[in-house]
Amino acid sequence: MVHLFGSQFPSATGSNASSLPLPAVVIELGELFADAGHELSLVGGPVRDLFLGRISPDLDFTTDADPDTTIAVIKKWADTFWEIGRDFGTIGMRKGQHTIEVTTYRAEAYDPDSRKPVVAFGTSLEDDLFRRDFTMNAMALRLPSLELVDPYGGVKDLHAGLLRTPGAPSSSFSDDPLRMMRAARFASQLGVTVAPEVAAAMKDMAGRIEIISAERVRDELVKLVNGKDPRTGVDLLVDTGLADHVLPEVAALRLEIDEHHRHKDVYQHSLTVLEQACSLETDDDGALPGPDFVLRFAALMHDVGKPATRRFEPSGAVSFRHHDMVGSKLTAKRMKKLRFDNDTIKAVSRLVELHMRFYGYGEAGWTDSAVRRYVNDAGPLLERLHRLTRSDVTTRNKRKAEQLAFAYDDLEQRIATLQEQEQLDAVRPDLDGARIMALLGIKPGPLVGRAYRFLLEERLENGPAAPEEAEAKLLAWWREQPEFSEQP
Protein backbone atom coordinates (compact mmCIF):
# COMPACT_ATOMS: atom_id res chain seq x y z
CA MET A 1 0.00 0.00 0.00
CA VAL A 2 1.12 3.58 -0.68
CA HIS A 3 0.23 6.18 1.95
CA LEU A 4 -0.56 9.82 1.32
CA PHE A 5 1.04 12.17 3.80
CA GLY A 6 -0.45 15.16 5.52
CA SER A 7 -3.69 16.02 7.25
CA GLN A 8 -6.62 13.67 6.82
CA PHE A 9 -8.70 16.69 5.74
CA PRO A 10 -6.40 18.99 3.73
CA SER A 11 -7.30 22.37 2.42
CA ALA A 12 -8.29 22.65 -1.20
CA THR A 13 -5.00 24.39 -1.97
CA GLY A 14 -2.76 21.87 -0.22
CA SER A 15 -0.63 19.42 -2.13
CA ASN A 16 -1.35 16.47 0.20
CA ALA A 17 -4.74 14.80 0.25
CA SER A 18 -4.95 12.28 3.08
CA SER A 19 -3.06 9.96 5.38
CA LEU A 20 -5.36 7.12 4.34
CA PRO A 21 -3.88 4.25 2.33
CA LEU A 22 -4.22 3.88 -1.41
CA PRO A 23 -3.68 0.63 -3.32
CA ALA A 24 -0.22 0.42 -4.87
CA VAL A 25 -1.80 0.04 -8.33
CA VAL A 26 -2.88 3.71 -8.17
CA ILE A 27 0.70 4.94 -8.14
CA GLU A 28 1.86 2.26 -10.58
CA LEU A 29 -0.74 3.30 -13.13
CA GLY A 30 0.07 6.98 -12.64
CA GLU A 31 3.73 6.30 -13.35
CA LEU A 32 2.86 4.31 -16.48
CA PHE A 33 0.90 7.24 -17.94
CA ALA A 34 3.52 9.78 -16.87
CA ASP A 35 6.26 7.74 -18.57
CA ALA A 36 4.12 7.72 -21.72
CA GLY A 37 3.80 11.51 -21.57
CA HIS A 38 0.16 11.64 -20.46
CA GLU A 39 -1.78 12.93 -17.48
CA LEU A 40 -3.68 10.61 -15.15
CA SER A 41 -5.74 11.40 -12.06
CA LEU A 42 -7.74 9.39 -9.57
CA VAL A 43 -11.14 11.05 -9.67
CA GLY A 44 -14.65 11.19 -8.25
CA GLY A 45 -15.97 8.69 -5.73
CA PRO A 46 -12.62 7.11 -4.77
CA VAL A 47 -11.22 10.54 -3.85
CA ARG A 48 -14.37 11.50 -1.95
CA ASP A 49 -14.27 8.20 -0.07
CA LEU A 50 -10.71 8.89 1.11
CA PHE A 51 -12.03 11.94 2.96
CA LEU A 52 -14.87 9.86 4.37
CA GLY A 53 -12.42 7.37 5.82
CA ARG A 54 -13.14 4.45 3.54
CA ILE A 55 -11.65 2.73 0.51
CA SER A 56 -13.75 2.66 -2.65
CA PRO A 57 -14.18 -0.84 -4.14
CA ASP A 58 -13.71 0.53 -7.67
CA LEU A 59 -11.00 2.85 -8.91
CA ASP A 60 -11.92 5.55 -11.45
CA PHE A 61 -9.32 7.55 -13.32
CA THR A 62 -9.39 10.30 -15.93
CA THR A 63 -6.72 11.12 -18.49
CA ASP A 64 -5.87 13.31 -21.47
CA ALA A 65 -5.08 10.12 -23.45
CA ASP A 66 -7.66 8.89 -25.94
CA PRO A 67 -8.96 5.28 -25.65
CA ASP A 68 -6.46 3.92 -28.19
CA THR A 69 -3.56 5.47 -26.31
CA THR A 70 -4.91 4.20 -22.99
CA ILE A 71 -4.97 0.64 -24.35
CA ALA A 72 -1.40 1.01 -25.61
CA VAL A 73 -0.27 2.14 -22.15
CA ILE A 74 -1.99 -0.54 -20.08
CA LYS A 75 -2.24 -3.64 -22.27
CA LYS A 76 0.97 -5.22 -20.97
CA TRP A 77 0.37 -4.07 -17.38
CA ALA A 78 -3.27 -5.04 -16.81
CA ASP A 79 -4.30 -8.65 -16.23
CA THR A 80 -7.14 -8.10 -18.69
CA PHE A 81 -8.99 -5.16 -20.23
CA TRP A 82 -12.27 -4.51 -22.03
CA GLU A 83 -13.65 -1.85 -24.37
CA ILE A 84 -17.38 -1.92 -23.59
CA GLY A 85 -17.38 1.79 -22.71
CA ARG A 86 -15.06 2.83 -25.52
CA ASP A 87 -17.69 5.06 -27.20
CA PHE A 88 -17.83 7.04 -23.95
CA GLY A 89 -14.05 7.19 -23.71
CA THR A 90 -13.82 4.49 -21.03
CA ILE A 91 -11.46 1.52 -20.97
CA GLY A 92 -12.01 -1.00 -18.18
CA MET A 93 -9.39 -3.33 -16.80
CA ARG A 94 -8.50 -5.63 -13.92
CA LYS A 95 -5.21 -5.67 -12.06
CA GLY A 96 -5.01 -8.21 -9.27
CA GLN A 97 -8.11 -7.74 -7.12
CA HIS A 98 -8.83 -4.25 -8.43
CA THR A 99 -11.38 -3.22 -11.05
CA ILE A 100 -10.23 -0.06 -12.80
CA GLU A 101 -11.78 2.34 -15.30
CA VAL A 102 -9.80 4.99 -17.19
CA THR A 103 -11.85 7.61 -19.02
CA THR A 104 -10.66 10.29 -21.39
CA TYR A 105 -11.36 13.88 -20.28
CA ARG A 106 -14.83 14.64 -21.51
CA ALA A 107 -17.86 16.88 -21.51
CA GLU A 108 -21.25 15.39 -22.12
CA ALA A 109 -24.82 16.63 -22.40
CA TYR A 110 -28.21 15.06 -22.90
CA ASP A 111 -30.33 15.77 -25.89
CA PRO A 112 -33.64 17.01 -24.40
CA ASP A 113 -35.51 14.09 -25.95
CA SER A 114 -32.86 11.38 -25.62
CA ARG A 115 -31.95 8.97 -22.85
CA LYS A 116 -28.38 8.66 -24.10
CA PRO A 117 -25.61 11.20 -23.48
CA VAL A 118 -23.91 13.00 -26.33
CA VAL A 119 -20.19 12.61 -25.63
CA ALA A 120 -17.43 15.04 -26.52
CA PHE A 121 -13.88 14.55 -25.27
CA GLY A 122 -12.37 17.41 -23.28
CA THR A 123 -8.81 18.73 -23.03
CA SER A 124 -8.23 19.54 -19.34
CA LEU A 125 -8.76 18.02 -15.92
CA GLU A 126 -10.49 21.14 -14.58
CA ASP A 127 -13.04 21.10 -17.42
CA ASP A 128 -13.62 17.39 -16.84
CA LEU A 129 -14.28 18.04 -13.14
CA PHE A 130 -16.71 20.84 -13.96
CA ARG A 131 -19.03 18.42 -15.79
CA ARG A 132 -19.29 16.06 -12.83
CA ASP A 133 -22.43 15.80 -10.75
CA PHE A 134 -21.53 17.31 -7.34
CA THR A 135 -18.58 19.18 -5.88
CA MET A 136 -17.69 16.31 -3.53
CA ASN A 137 -17.26 14.14 -6.65
CA ALA A 138 -15.43 16.87 -8.58
CA MET A 139 -12.09 16.32 -6.85
CA ALA A 140 -9.05 14.53 -8.24
CA LEU A 141 -5.59 13.38 -7.21
CA ARG A 142 -2.98 13.99 -9.91
CA LEU A 143 -0.75 10.96 -10.30
CA PRO A 144 1.83 10.01 -9.41
CA SER A 145 2.39 13.30 -7.49
CA LEU A 146 -0.79 12.95 -5.33
CA GLU A 147 -1.58 16.64 -5.79
CA LEU A 148 -5.18 17.34 -4.75
CA VAL A 149 -7.19 19.21 -7.41
CA ASP A 150 -10.36 20.69 -5.92
CA PRO A 151 -11.41 23.73 -7.97
CA TYR A 152 -15.06 23.75 -6.82
CA GLY A 153 -14.75 23.36 -3.06
CA GLY A 154 -15.51 19.68 -2.66
CA VAL A 155 -13.51 19.31 0.57
CA LYS A 156 -15.24 22.32 2.09
CA ASP A 157 -18.66 20.95 1.15
CA LEU A 158 -17.80 17.55 2.60
CA HIS A 159 -16.82 19.25 5.86
CA ALA A 160 -20.14 21.11 5.84
CA GLY A 161 -22.14 18.04 4.81
CA LEU A 162 -23.54 20.02 1.89
CA LEU A 163 -24.42 18.75 -1.57
CA ARG A 164 -23.75 21.32 -4.29
CA THR A 165 -23.07 21.18 -8.03
CA PRO A 166 -19.87 22.57 -9.62
CA GLY A 167 -21.91 24.86 -11.88
CA ALA A 168 -25.56 25.85 -11.99
CA PRO A 169 -27.75 22.97 -10.74
CA SER A 170 -30.12 23.44 -13.68
CA SER A 171 -27.27 22.89 -16.13
CA SER A 172 -26.04 19.82 -14.27
CA PHE A 173 -29.50 18.24 -14.15
CA SER A 174 -30.17 19.12 -17.76
CA ASP A 175 -26.98 17.30 -18.75
CA ASP A 176 -28.04 14.20 -16.81
CA PRO A 177 -31.43 14.22 -15.04
CA LEU A 178 -30.49 11.06 -13.12
CA ARG A 179 -28.32 13.33 -10.99
CA MET A 180 -31.49 14.44 -9.22
CA MET A 181 -32.06 10.85 -8.09
CA ARG A 182 -28.39 10.66 -7.16
CA ALA A 183 -28.78 13.71 -4.92
CA ALA A 184 -31.48 11.91 -2.93
CA ARG A 185 -29.32 8.78 -2.86
CA PHE A 186 -26.36 10.68 -1.42
CA ALA A 187 -28.63 12.25 1.19
CA SER A 188 -29.49 8.69 2.25
CA GLN A 189 -26.02 7.17 1.97
CA LEU A 190 -23.83 10.00 3.26
CA GLY A 191 -26.15 12.05 5.44
CA VAL A 192 -25.48 15.23 3.45
CA THR A 193 -27.93 18.13 3.17
CA VAL A 194 -28.94 19.22 -0.31
CA ALA A 195 -28.15 22.89 -0.89
CA PRO A 196 -31.26 25.10 -1.29
CA GLU A 197 -30.48 25.95 -4.92
CA VAL A 198 -30.04 22.24 -5.71
CA ALA A 199 -33.38 21.35 -4.11
CA ALA A 200 -35.05 24.19 -6.02
CA ALA A 201 -33.66 22.94 -9.33
CA MET A 202 -34.84 19.41 -8.50
CA LYS A 203 -38.37 20.74 -8.00
CA ASP A 204 -38.29 22.77 -11.20
CA MET A 205 -36.87 19.96 -13.31
CA ALA A 206 -38.43 16.86 -11.73
CA GLY A 207 -40.26 16.03 -14.94
CA ARG A 208 -36.95 15.61 -16.77
CA ILE A 209 -36.44 12.30 -14.97
CA GLU A 210 -38.94 10.83 -17.45
CA ILE A 211 -36.26 10.65 -20.15
CA ILE A 212 -34.07 8.37 -18.03
CA SER A 213 -34.39 4.62 -18.48
CA ALA A 214 -36.28 2.66 -15.84
CA GLU A 215 -33.21 0.52 -15.16
CA ARG A 216 -31.03 3.52 -14.23
CA VAL A 217 -33.76 4.95 -12.00
CA ARG A 218 -34.20 1.56 -10.34
CA ASP A 219 -30.50 1.24 -9.58
CA GLU A 220 -30.42 4.64 -7.88
CA LEU A 221 -33.58 3.82 -5.94
CA VAL A 222 -32.07 0.58 -4.62
CA LYS A 223 -28.96 2.42 -3.45
CA LEU A 224 -31.13 5.06 -1.78
CA VAL A 225 -33.30 2.52 0.03
CA ASN A 226 -30.22 0.60 1.15
CA GLY A 227 -28.54 3.73 2.51
CA LYS A 228 -28.02 4.45 6.18
CA ASP A 229 -30.83 7.05 6.24
CA PRO A 230 -33.38 6.08 3.57
CA ARG A 231 -36.10 8.13 5.25
CA THR A 232 -34.28 11.35 4.35
CA GLY A 233 -33.72 10.20 0.77
CA VAL A 234 -37.35 9.23 0.22
CA ASP A 235 -38.53 12.46 1.82
CA LEU A 236 -36.39 14.42 -0.63
CA LEU A 237 -37.88 12.52 -3.57
CA VAL A 238 -41.38 13.37 -2.36
CA ASP A 239 -40.68 17.01 -1.43
CA THR A 240 -39.08 17.79 -4.80
CA GLY A 241 -41.77 16.05 -6.84
CA LEU A 242 -39.43 13.36 -8.20
CA ALA A 243 -41.51 10.71 -6.45
CA ASP A 244 -44.52 11.80 -8.53
CA HIS A 245 -42.65 10.33 -11.49
CA VAL A 246 -40.69 7.40 -10.04
CA LEU A 247 -42.75 6.37 -6.97
CA PRO A 248 -46.16 8.04 -7.31
CA GLU A 249 -47.75 5.51 -4.94
CA VAL A 250 -45.53 6.79 -2.12
CA ALA A 251 -46.23 10.43 -2.94
CA ALA A 252 -49.97 9.64 -2.85
CA LEU A 253 -49.67 8.56 0.78
CA ARG A 254 -49.81 12.21 1.82
CA LEU A 255 -53.54 12.00 2.55
CA GLU A 256 -55.29 15.07 3.84
CA ILE A 257 -55.47 15.04 7.63
CA ASP A 258 -59.10 15.62 8.63
CA GLU A 259 -59.77 18.48 11.00
CA HIS A 260 -60.39 16.18 13.96
CA HIS A 261 -57.22 14.14 13.28
CA ARG A 262 -59.16 10.89 13.34
CA HIS A 263 -56.53 9.06 11.31
CA LYS A 264 -52.76 9.24 11.30
CA ASP A 265 -50.57 10.65 8.56
CA VAL A 266 -50.07 7.57 6.37
CA TYR A 267 -47.00 9.01 4.66
CA GLN A 268 -45.11 9.82 7.86
CA HIS A 269 -46.22 6.48 9.30
CA SER A 270 -44.71 4.68 6.30
CA LEU A 271 -41.41 6.50 6.70
CA THR A 272 -41.35 5.55 10.37
CA VAL A 273 -42.05 1.91 9.51
CA LEU A 274 -39.15 2.02 7.03
CA GLU A 275 -36.89 3.50 9.70
CA GLN A 276 -37.93 0.89 12.27
CA ALA A 277 -37.49 -1.95 9.79
CA CYS A 278 -33.90 -0.84 9.18
CA SER A 279 -33.24 -0.95 12.92
CA LEU A 280 -34.39 -4.60 13.09
CA GLU A 281 -31.90 -5.86 10.51
CA THR A 282 -29.06 -7.95 11.86
CA ASP A 283 -25.33 -8.11 11.32
CA ASP A 284 -23.82 -10.55 8.86
CA ASP A 285 -24.13 -13.46 11.29
CA GLY A 286 -27.79 -12.82 12.12
CA ALA A 287 -31.07 -14.02 10.65
CA LEU A 288 -31.49 -11.01 8.33
CA PRO A 289 -28.26 -9.17 7.50
CA GLY A 290 -28.73 -5.56 6.52
CA PRO A 291 -29.20 -3.66 4.39
CA ASP A 292 -32.08 -5.83 3.15
CA PHE A 293 -33.79 -4.17 0.20
CA VAL A 294 -36.80 -6.51 0.19
CA LEU A 295 -37.68 -5.73 3.81
CA ARG A 296 -37.01 -2.01 3.46
CA PHE A 297 -38.97 -1.54 0.25
CA ALA A 298 -41.89 -3.58 1.61
CA ALA A 299 -41.88 -1.34 4.69
CA LEU A 300 -42.01 1.76 2.49
CA MET A 301 -44.75 0.36 0.22
CA HIS A 302 -46.84 -1.57 2.76
CA ASP A 303 -49.65 0.99 2.91
CA VAL A 304 -49.73 2.21 -0.70
CA GLY A 305 -53.17 0.61 -1.08
CA LYS A 306 -54.70 3.02 1.45
CA PRO A 307 -55.44 6.01 -0.81
CA ALA A 308 -57.51 3.82 -3.15
CA THR A 309 -59.38 2.09 -0.32
CA ARG A 310 -60.00 4.98 2.06
CA ARG A 311 -63.63 5.25 3.18
CA PHE A 312 -65.28 7.58 5.64
CA GLU A 313 -67.74 5.51 7.67
CA PRO A 314 -71.08 6.86 8.99
CA SER A 315 -69.58 6.77 12.48
CA GLY A 316 -66.89 9.21 11.36
CA ALA A 317 -64.17 6.58 11.41
CA VAL A 318 -61.85 6.07 8.47
CA SER A 319 -61.40 2.57 7.00
CA PHE A 320 -58.97 1.08 4.50
CA ARG A 321 -60.49 -2.33 3.84
CA HIS A 322 -58.37 -4.69 1.75
CA HIS A 323 -55.61 -2.12 1.39
CA ASP A 324 -53.11 -4.96 1.84
CA MET A 325 -54.32 -6.77 -1.28
CA VAL A 326 -54.65 -3.56 -3.31
CA GLY A 327 -51.23 -2.41 -2.12
CA SER A 328 -49.64 -5.70 -3.11
CA LYS A 329 -50.90 -5.30 -6.67
CA LEU A 330 -49.83 -1.66 -6.87
CA THR A 331 -46.38 -2.55 -5.56
CA ALA A 332 -45.90 -5.31 -8.12
CA LYS A 333 -47.08 -3.02 -10.92
CA ARG A 334 -44.67 -0.25 -9.94
CA MET A 335 -41.73 -2.63 -9.57
CA LYS A 336 -42.42 -4.10 -13.00
CA LYS A 337 -42.30 -0.61 -14.47
CA LEU A 338 -38.95 -0.10 -12.76
CA ARG A 339 -37.70 -3.35 -14.31
CA PHE A 340 -37.07 -5.24 -11.07
CA ASP A 341 -36.47 -8.96 -11.41
CA ASN A 342 -39.43 -11.30 -10.83
CA ASP A 343 -38.11 -12.80 -7.60
CA THR A 344 -37.72 -9.40 -5.94
CA ILE A 345 -41.15 -8.29 -7.17
CA LYS A 346 -42.79 -11.42 -5.79
CA ALA A 347 -41.03 -11.12 -2.43
CA VAL A 348 -41.85 -7.46 -1.83
CA SER A 349 -45.46 -7.67 -3.01
CA ARG A 350 -46.02 -10.82 -0.94
CA LEU A 351 -44.83 -9.04 2.21
CA VAL A 352 -47.17 -6.13 1.47
CA GLU A 353 -50.01 -8.63 1.04
CA LEU A 354 -49.22 -10.37 4.35
CA HIS A 355 -48.45 -7.37 6.54
CA MET A 356 -51.95 -7.25 8.09
CA ARG A 357 -52.26 -10.99 8.69
CA PHE A 358 -51.08 -10.81 12.31
CA TYR A 359 -53.65 -8.27 13.52
CA GLY A 360 -56.38 -9.92 15.52
CA TYR A 361 -54.02 -12.51 16.99
CA GLY A 362 -53.89 -10.69 20.30
CA GLU A 363 -57.66 -10.47 20.74
CA ALA A 364 -58.93 -13.75 19.31
CA GLY A 365 -55.91 -16.00 19.61
CA TRP A 366 -54.99 -18.46 16.89
CA THR A 367 -55.29 -22.19 16.62
CA ASP A 368 -52.22 -24.24 15.79
CA SER A 369 -53.69 -24.52 12.31
CA ALA A 370 -53.70 -20.74 11.91
CA VAL A 371 -50.09 -20.53 13.07
CA ARG A 372 -49.08 -23.20 10.56
CA ARG A 373 -50.81 -21.32 7.75
CA TYR A 374 -49.09 -18.08 8.74
CA VAL A 375 -45.69 -19.75 8.50
CA ASN A 376 -46.59 -21.62 5.32
CA ASP A 377 -47.88 -18.49 3.60
CA ALA A 378 -44.78 -16.51 4.57
CA GLY A 379 -42.45 -19.29 3.43
CA PRO A 380 -38.86 -18.02 3.10
CA LEU A 381 -40.07 -14.48 3.89
CA LEU A 382 -40.93 -15.32 7.53
CA GLU A 383 -37.97 -13.49 9.11
CA ARG A 384 -38.78 -10.42 7.03
CA LEU A 385 -42.48 -10.67 7.89
CA HIS A 386 -41.62 -10.81 11.60
CA ARG A 387 -39.71 -7.54 11.26
CA LEU A 388 -42.20 -5.83 8.99
CA THR A 389 -45.08 -6.62 11.36
CA ARG A 390 -43.18 -5.34 14.39
CA SER A 391 -42.11 -2.22 12.47
CA ASP A 392 -45.72 -1.46 11.57
CA VAL A 393 -46.47 -0.53 15.19
CA THR A 394 -46.00 3.24 15.37
CA THR A 395 -48.70 4.14 17.85
CA ARG A 396 -47.85 6.65 20.57
CA ASN A 397 -50.14 4.75 22.93
CA LYS A 398 -47.55 2.98 25.05
CA ARG A 399 -50.03 0.44 26.43
CA LYS A 400 -51.27 -0.52 22.97
CA ALA A 401 -47.72 -0.82 21.65
CA GLU A 402 -46.76 -3.07 24.55
CA GLN A 403 -49.84 -5.26 24.00
CA LEU A 404 -49.00 -5.72 20.31
CA ALA A 405 -45.35 -6.47 21.07
CA PHE A 406 -46.38 -9.02 23.71
CA ALA A 407 -48.81 -10.67 21.29
CA TYR A 408 -46.17 -10.95 18.58
CA ASP A 409 -43.66 -12.31 21.10
CA ASP A 410 -46.23 -14.97 21.91
CA LEU A 411 -46.80 -15.76 18.23
CA GLU A 412 -43.08 -16.11 17.58
CA GLN A 413 -42.78 -18.44 20.57
CA ARG A 414 -45.64 -20.59 19.29
CA ILE A 415 -44.02 -20.72 15.85
CA ALA A 416 -40.74 -21.80 17.41
CA THR A 417 -42.49 -24.52 19.43
CA LEU A 418 -44.38 -25.87 16.42
CA GLN A 419 -41.27 -25.72 14.26
CA GLU A 420 -39.43 -27.81 16.82
CA GLN A 421 -42.26 -30.34 16.94
CA GLU A 422 -43.21 -30.47 13.29
CA GLN A 423 -40.38 -29.08 11.13
CA LEU A 424 -42.75 -26.26 10.21
CA ASP A 425 -40.29 -24.57 7.85
CA ALA A 426 -40.87 -27.30 5.29
CA VAL A 427 -44.49 -28.31 5.68
CA ARG A 428 -45.35 -31.04 3.20
CA PRO A 429 -48.29 -33.41 2.90
CA ASP A 430 -47.88 -36.67 4.81
CA LEU A 431 -47.81 -38.57 1.50
CA ASP A 432 -45.70 -37.73 -1.53
CA GLY A 433 -46.82 -37.68 -5.14
CA ALA A 434 -45.61 -41.20 -5.88
CA ARG A 435 -47.57 -42.66 -2.96
CA ILE A 436 -50.68 -40.69 -3.94
CA MET A 437 -50.61 -42.08 -7.48
CA ALA A 438 -49.96 -45.63 -6.27
CA LEU A 439 -52.74 -45.50 -3.69
CA LEU A 440 -55.32 -44.00 -6.06
CA GLY A 441 -54.15 -45.80 -9.17
CA ILE A 442 -53.84 -42.64 -11.23
CA LYS A 443 -51.21 -41.19 -13.54
CA PRO A 444 -49.51 -37.78 -13.30
CA GLY A 445 -51.96 -34.98 -13.99
CA PRO A 446 -54.36 -32.45 -12.43
CA LEU A 447 -55.95 -35.04 -10.12
CA VAL A 448 -52.62 -35.66 -8.42
CA GLY A 449 -52.32 -31.94 -7.78
CA ARG A 450 -55.79 -31.82 -6.26
CA ALA A 451 -55.03 -34.77 -4.00
CA TYR A 452 -51.73 -33.18 -2.98
CA ARG A 453 -53.46 -29.90 -2.06
CA PHE A 454 -56.07 -31.79 -0.04
CA LEU A 455 -53.37 -33.50 2.00
CA LEU A 456 -51.51 -30.21 2.45
CA GLU A 457 -54.68 -28.61 3.83
CA GLU A 458 -55.07 -31.55 6.20
CA ARG A 459 -51.47 -31.15 7.31
CA LEU A 460 -51.88 -27.42 7.95
CA GLU A 461 -55.19 -27.88 9.74
CA ASN A 462 -54.39 -30.86 11.93
CA GLY A 463 -50.61 -31.21 12.02
CA PRO A 464 -48.62 -34.31 11.04
CA ALA A 465 -50.38 -37.66 10.75
CA ALA A 466 -49.17 -41.24 10.57
CA PRO A 467 -48.99 -42.67 7.00
CA GLU A 468 -51.91 -45.02 7.52
CA GLU A 469 -54.08 -42.19 8.88
CA ALA A 470 -53.18 -39.98 5.91
CA GLU A 471 -53.95 -42.82 3.50
CA ALA A 472 -57.38 -43.33 5.07
CA LYS A 473 -58.18 -39.63 4.79
CA LEU A 474 -57.05 -39.55 1.17
CA LEU A 475 -59.18 -42.55 0.21
CA ALA A 476 -62.23 -41.07 1.96
CA TRP A 477 -61.72 -37.78 0.10
CA TRP A 478 -61.18 -39.66 -3.18
CA ARG A 479 -64.50 -41.48 -2.92
CA GLU A 480 -66.24 -38.11 -2.75
CA GLN A 481 -64.69 -36.84 -5.98
CA PRO A 482 -66.76 -36.92 -9.21
CA GLU A 483 -63.70 -38.15 -11.07
CA PHE A 484 -63.52 -41.27 -8.89
CA SER A 485 -66.32 -43.03 -10.72
CA GLU A 486 -64.61 -42.29 -14.05
CA GLN A 487 -61.32 -43.96 -13.12
CA PRO A 488 -60.60 -47.38 -14.64
Side-chain angles (χ1 to χ4, degrees):
M1 303 292 281
V2 176
H3 291 262
L4 303 177
F5 298 97
S7 168
Q8 183 174 346
F9 295 104
S11 69
T13 58
S15 61
N16 297 317
S18 174
S19 61
L20 293 170
L22 280 173
V25 294
V26 171
I27 302 300
E28 288 178 19
L29 193 59
E31 290 173 343
L32 279 176
F33 274 79
D35 290 345
H38 288 282
E39 299 176 2
L40 185 77
S41 298
L42 185 69
V43 69
V47 179
R48 177 200 69 220
D49 285 349
L50 286 174
F51 290 96
L52 295 174
R54 62 194 194 189
I55 300 297
S56 180
D58 297 321
L59 298 172
D60 296 326
F61 298 84
T62 189
T63 179
D64 63 343
D66 62 29
D68 287 335
T69 303
T70 294
I71 291 173
V73 171
I74 62 90
K75 65 181 179 180
K76 293 182 180 179
W77 175 81
D79 297 333
T80 186
F81 68 91
W82 51 91
E83 304 180 50
I84 297 174
R86 185 189 186 96
D87 290 345
F88 299 97
T90 300
I91 302 299
M93 68 199 76
R94 178 165 290 279
K95 178 70 171 178
Q97 63 181 352
H98 300 288
T99 300
I100 295 169
E101 287 190 348
V102 177
T103 302
T104 305
Y105 295 154
R106 67 189 188 190
E108 66 184 30
Y110 268 74
D111 182 286
D113 300 316
S114 174
R115 293 180 174 183
K116 297 182 179 181
V118 178
V119 177
F121 294 146
T123 58
S124 75
L125 175 60
E126 286 73 13
D127 289 346
D128 182 88
L129 295 177
F130 183 76
R131 56 153 289 275
R132 294 180 180 268
D133 53 3
F134 303 108
T135 58
M136 65 181 185
N137 293 330
M139 299 185 291
L141 288 178
R142 289 189 186 274
L143 299 172
S145 66
L146 299 181
E147 174 194 354
L148 175 66
V149 181
D150 181 20
Y152 307 109
V155 171
K156 180 180 177 181
D157 288 341
L158 271 179
H159 273 300
L162 192 65
L163 196 71
R164 294 190 308 111
T165 54
S170 57
S171 297
S172 179
F173 298 155
S174 180
D175 282 349
D176 186 352
L178 189 68
R179 290 172 175 175
M180 296 184 286
M181 288 287 297
R182 205 171 290 148
R185 187 245 290 185
F186 285 134
S188 170
Q189 286 184 327
L190 305 179
V192 294
T193 299
V194 173
E197 68 274 14
V198 173
M202 291 169 70
K203 288 182 180 180
D204 291 343
M205 303 180 68
R208 285 274 290 160
I209 199 67
E210 295 284 355
I211 74 166
I212 301 299
S213 70
E215 291 83 358
R216 295 183 73 207
V217 171
R218 175 202 62 210
D219 290 347
E220 287 297 326
L221 181 62
V222 170
K223 292 174 184 177
L224 184 160
V225 170
N226 282 345
K228 66 180 180 180
D229 185 14
R231 179 176 190 146
T232 295
V234 172
D235 219 13
L236 186 58
L237 291 181
V238 172
D239 286 346
T240 57
L242 278 166
D244 293 333
H245 302 277
V246 300
L247 277 181
E249 297 81 7
V250 172
L253 291 174
R254 294 172 297 175
L255 302 172
E256 303 89 354
I257 304 293
D258 63 277
E259 59 180 330
H260 301 295
H261 296 275
R262 283 189 291 250
H263 67 279
K264 60 189 171 187
D265 183 332
V266 180
Y267 172 64
Q268 291 299 329
H269 162 75
S270 297
L271 293 184
T272 300
V273 174
L274 169 60
E275 205 168 42
Q276 294 183 166
C278 295
S279 72
L280 294 179
E281 294 169 340
T282 67
D283 59 22
D284 290 343
D285 297 325
L288 193 68
D292 188 90
F293 176 78
V294 169
L295 170 64
R296 292 182 177 205
F297 201 55
L300 177 63
M301 303 292 283
H302 78 286
D303 273 349
V304 296
K306 281 190 170 180
T309 59
R310 183 172 62 159
R311 300 290 184 271
F312 293 95
E313 306 294 343
S315 64
V318 180
S319 68
F320 303 96
R321 291 188 181 90
H322 306 302
H323 77 273
D324 45 355
M325 301 300 295
V326 173
S328 177
K329 293 177 181 178
L330 289 173
T331 298
K333 184 177 180 181
R334 176 55 48 193
M335 293 182 74
K336 287 176 183 176
K337 287 185 176 180
L338 289 170
R339 302 291 192 270
F340 278 93
D341 63 276
N342 288 334
D343 288 344
T344 304
I345 294 172
K346 289 177 181 177
V348 174
S349 59
R350 183 63 166 161
L351 284 173
V352 173
E353 178 185 344
L354 293 175
H355 84 272
M356 292 294 293
R357 184 71 65 87
F358 161 74
Y359 292 95
Y361 177 85
E363 292 86 12
W366 282 1
T367 62
D368 285 350
S369 171
V371 175
R372 291 188 197 99
R373 292 177 188 280
Y374 186 78
V375 174
N376 186 69
D377 289 348
L381 298 172
L382 184 62
E383 288 293 342
R384 292 184 175 100
L385 183 58
H386 286 333
R387 287 159 176 76
L388 176 58
T389 302
R390 289 186 181 276
S391 300
D392 198 19
V393 178
T394 62
T395 178
R396 295 181 181 178
N397 185 321
K398 185 177 179 181
R399 182 178 177 183
K400 182 178 180 182
E402 289 176 347
Q403 287 175 337
L404 288 169
F406 177 81
Y408 207 84
D409 287 343
D410 184 66
L411 174 58
E412 285 202 64
Q413 182 56 51
R414 288 186 63 193
I415 290 172
T417 300
L418 283 172
Q419 283 176 325
E420 186 176 346
Q421 295 172 351
E422 305 179 12
Q423 294 184 319
L424 206 57
D425 304 7
V427 171
R428 298 288 186 272
D430 295 301
L431 304 176
D432 62 20
R435 183 57 185 151
I436 290 171
M437 289 187 287
L439 191 65
L440 301 182
I442 59 177
K443 296 179 179 180
L447 287 179
V448 179
R450 284 179 55 186
Y452 187 92
R453 288 190 292 273
F454 163 75
L455 288 173
L456 180 59
E457 285 295 313
E458 284 291 317
R459 173 70 172 78
L460 291 169
E461 186 67 30
N462 301 306
E468 57 272 15
E469 181 183 352
E471 290 176 1
K473 287 182 178 180
L474 178 61
L475 288 170
W477 170 83
W478 182 244
R479 286 191 289 270
E480 295 173 359
Q481 304 310 304
E483 295 85 352
F484 175 73
S485 61
E486 301 171 9
Q487 300 304 308

